[in-house]
Amino acid sequence: MSTTSVEPAYVIRRPQDVVDLVNNHPAIHSNIWITLIALGGVLIDAYQAAMIGFGNKFIATQFGISPGLAATINASVLVAALVGGLLANRVINSFGQKRAFLIGMGFCTLGAFAVAFAPNLWWLLLCRIIMGIGLGIDFPLATSAVAELRGASSKKSGTSVNLWQMGWYLSTTVVFLVLLPLHWENVADGDLWRYGIFAGSIFAVLVMVLRYVYIGESAMWAARSDRYAEACVILAKRYGIRAEIATDVQHESDRPVKLHGAYGVLFQEKYRRRTLLGCIVATMQAWQYNAVGVYLPLTLAEILRGGLSDALWGSAAVNALCGITGGAIGSIIVRKVGSRRQSMIGFGLVVIALLALGYMGKANPWFALVLLGLIIFFHSAGPGGLGMTIATLSYPPSIRPAGVGFARAIMRSGAIAGLIFWPILWQSLGTNAFIWLAIVPLVGFVTCVLIRWEPIGANVDAEDESVLSLVIKEEKAA
């Protein structure tokens, strides 16, 4: 006669109990595909950024403006995303993860669809702003969801969060694979960007559907919102955890925390270094990428001088062979190397490659192509995704969306600088512009040398209850 023992259920008395359970129990289904679905908004962000970078000169021609002004208008999406990133914490705390995902991606879908039919600059500007707000809200939700699927204290969480960089280059590769058939079908070059952005709006709808089905609500948010029964259901379904609510459970009325003071905590003594490291790494990598990566077709067209087809093929090859590969390798090795050290090495190698390209890029077009590929590879394997990985894994869940949103917002300033100034610098200096650009990763390198904080494997979720007291103090002070 045999008996089957049933493990006793975990008892939940407060939100920290749910946080601890999630932190120590990765989701049952948390494979690479679920991770990429959670990161779907990042893929759409990458797709639309690359598509606009490709279309910049055509937008300038169509609307009769300079490439610099076109880049400035296109950069409005980054300014709006900066605002959206700062709103993300409030949106998720008000609506929850599931609905917040729909809000962010809904704005992006609406804006992208309308951009494809923009008849004038004002229409284009308005739609880019709508897209940017949606993308800004979405990113902190995406990386926070991935951390929650894996458990932030697990070193595997760093691998999963950093997969957004590989996903970014998968998405930018798709851009050129979408454009090439359209080009072969004799779609006018000046209209390719419109068709491409329209296709992006369809991809965004697909992301919304997949997330709604496979990602769902956050157990941590449900507990903090006094929805303990829902939290128990999520724990059972997603994590395989049996949990029951204690009779003396802590209710929302007992702890009136609105988390509006989360941003003030980011610069208190305990979190200041973490915030500075994440923000500077994220900003410098965005600056170098938006100069080299976003304008890759423009750069290759000048270097290879083989027309639009060669520029598109070259861009697809560099993104696939160097960007995707670098992102995958970076995600694998980050557990052993550490996010700070890996960012430092990547920045240093990008500095060397940029200087070599600036001094020797004119001599041989194919040598220049190899150096561009190395820059993308070192960027992708190094700091490309790690600024956001550092920001995601440096904070406990209650302030994580605020930390990621703030880092992402500051990062947009680097993206704006790269997007606006690179066409101007390139037009004035040609390949010598790469020498000046090397200053950007050098700043990132020095920052990583000076600030020694490593979030990979750190059990920051255990800080959640204590950080709430800091948030309360901030709210009372305000």
Side-chain angles (χ1 to χ4, degrees), residues 15-16 19-20 22-23 89 92-93 140 143-144 147-148 151-153 218 220-221 224 259 262 265-266 270-272 274-275 389-405 453 455 458-471:
Q16 185 65 46
V19 172
D20 292 339
V22 170
N23 191 32
N89 192 58
I92 189 173
N93 286 327
T143 54
S144 295
E148 189 168 327
S153 66
S218 162
M220 297 181 186
W221 175 82
R224 285 200 301 269
L259 300 180
V265 176
L266 301 181
K270 185 171 185 177
Y271 295 103
R272 188 181 304 127
R274 307 182 193 184
T275 300
T389 301
I390 291 170
T392 301
L393 301 181
S394 290
Y395 309 106
S398 57
I399 62 169
R400 184 172 292 141
V404 178
W453 156 252
N459 189 12
V460 295
D461 282 15
E463 303 169 6
D464 199 62
E465 192 166 42
S466 63
V467 84
L468 285 175
S469 64
L470 296 177
V471 175

Side-chain angles (χ1 to χ4, degrees), residues 358-421:
Y359 284 113
M360 298 179 285
K362 295 179 182 178
N364 188 313
W366 294 105
F367 177 64
L369 179 61
V370 170
L371 286 173
L372 279 170
L374 288 175
I375 290 168
I376 295 296
F377 178 83
F378 295 144
H379 167 85
S380 181
L386 290 172
M388 289 299 99
T389 301
I390 291 170
T392 301
L393 301 181
S394 290
Y395 309 106
S398 57
I399 62 169
R400 184 172 292 141
V404 178
F406 183 79
R408 190 71 175 173
I410 299 301
M411 187 207 76
R412 299 291 183 178
S413 64
I416 291 167
L419 196 64
I420 293 176
F421 295 129

Side-chain angles (χ1 to χ4, degrees), residues 33 35-50 105 135 138-139 142 163-172 174-175 200 203 207 211 408:
W33 301 113
T35 299
L36 289 176
I37 290 172
L39 294 172
V42 180
L43 307 188
I44 299 302
D45 191 352
Y47 179 95
Q48 299 293 14
M105 196 48 47
L135 292 171
D138 190 274
F139 194 99
L163 276 174
W164 81 266
Q165 185 67 187
M166 187 187 79
W168 183 281
Y169 283 100
L170 277 169
S171 192
T172 54
V174 169
V175 166
F203 296 151
V207 166
R211 277 175 163 177
R408 190 71 175 173

Side-chain angles (χ1 to χ4, degrees), residues 18 58 82 125 163 209 213 255 267 297 379 393 410 436 474:
V18 176
F58 300 113
L82 186 155
L125 179 62
L163 276 174
V209 173
V213 173
R255 44 182 176 80
F267 286 95
H379 167 85
L393 301 181
I410 299 301
W436 289 98
E474 288 291 325

Side-chain angles (χ1 to χ4, degrees), residues 112-342:
F113 180 82
V115 163
F117 301 96
N120 54 57
L121 284 176
W122 293 109
W123 181 293
L124 178 65
L125 179 62
L126 176 62
C127 295
R128 293 289 284 163
I129 290 173
I130 293 172
M131 285 178 64
I133 291 173
L135 292 171
I137 291 172
D138 190 274
F139 194 99
L141 300 176
T143 54
S144 295
V146 172
E148 189 168 327
L149 286 170
R150 277 293 191 181
S153 66
S154 169
K155 288 191 174 183
K156 291 183 179 179
S157 188
T159 296
S160 296
V161 173
N162 204 53
L163 276 174
W164 81 266
Q165 185 67 187
M166 187 187 79
W168 183 281
Y169 283 100
L170 277 169
S171 192
T172 54
T173 302
V174 169
V175 166
F176 304 112
L177 297 180
V178 167
L179 290 172
L180 274 167
L182 293 171
H183 178 61
W184 292 334
E185 289 297 320
N186 295 319
V187 173
D189 291 352
D191 291 332
L192 285 173
W193 66 276
R194 293 181 182 271
Y195 282 87
I197 287 179
F198 179 78
S201 68
I202 297 174
F203 296 151
V205 171
L206 179 61
V207 166
M208 291 172 67
V209 173
L210 290 174
R211 277 175 163 177
Y212 195 84
V213 173
Y214 291 104
I215 305 302
E217 192 53 84
S218 162
M220 297 181 186
W221 175 82
R224 285 200 301 269
S225 301
D226 208 9
R227 297 162 66 165
Y228 288 103
E230 183 179 353
C232 289
V233 172
I234 297 170
L235 288 172
K237 183 178 180 180
R238 186 175 302 157
Y239 302 94
I241 299 172
R242 288 182 63 243
E244 59 184 30
I245 306 170
T247 55
D248 57 343
V249 67
Q250 185 183 66
H251 291 287
E252 177 67 22
S253 57
D254 302 328
R255 44 182 176 80
V257 182
K258 299 303 180 183
L259 300 180
H260 299 334
Y263 291 108
V265 176
L266 301 181
F267 286 95
Q268 290 195 7
E269 184 177 358
K270 185 171 185 177
Y271 295 103
R272 188 181 304 127
R273 289 167 57 254
R274 307 182 193 184
T275 300
L276 289 174
L277 180 64
C279 286
I280 294 174
V281 170
T283 301
M284 295 304 108
Q285 68 81 23
W287 194 328
Q288 70 186 23
Y289 173 77
N290 277 269
V292 178
V294 170
Y295 289 113
L296 192 59
L298 169 68
T299 307
L300 288 178
E302 290 291 328
I303 291 175
L304 299 179
R305 300 189 181 279
L308 185 58
S309 290
D310 283 0
L312 292 175
W313 269 118
S315 299
V318 169
N319 276 275
L321 296 176
C322 302
I324 296 174
T325 303
I329 293 174
S331 295
I332 293 170
I333 67 175
V334 69
R335 282 190 283 177
K336 292 185 177 180
V337 179
S339 58
R340 181 192 67 87
R341 185 181 299 173
Q342 191 167 314

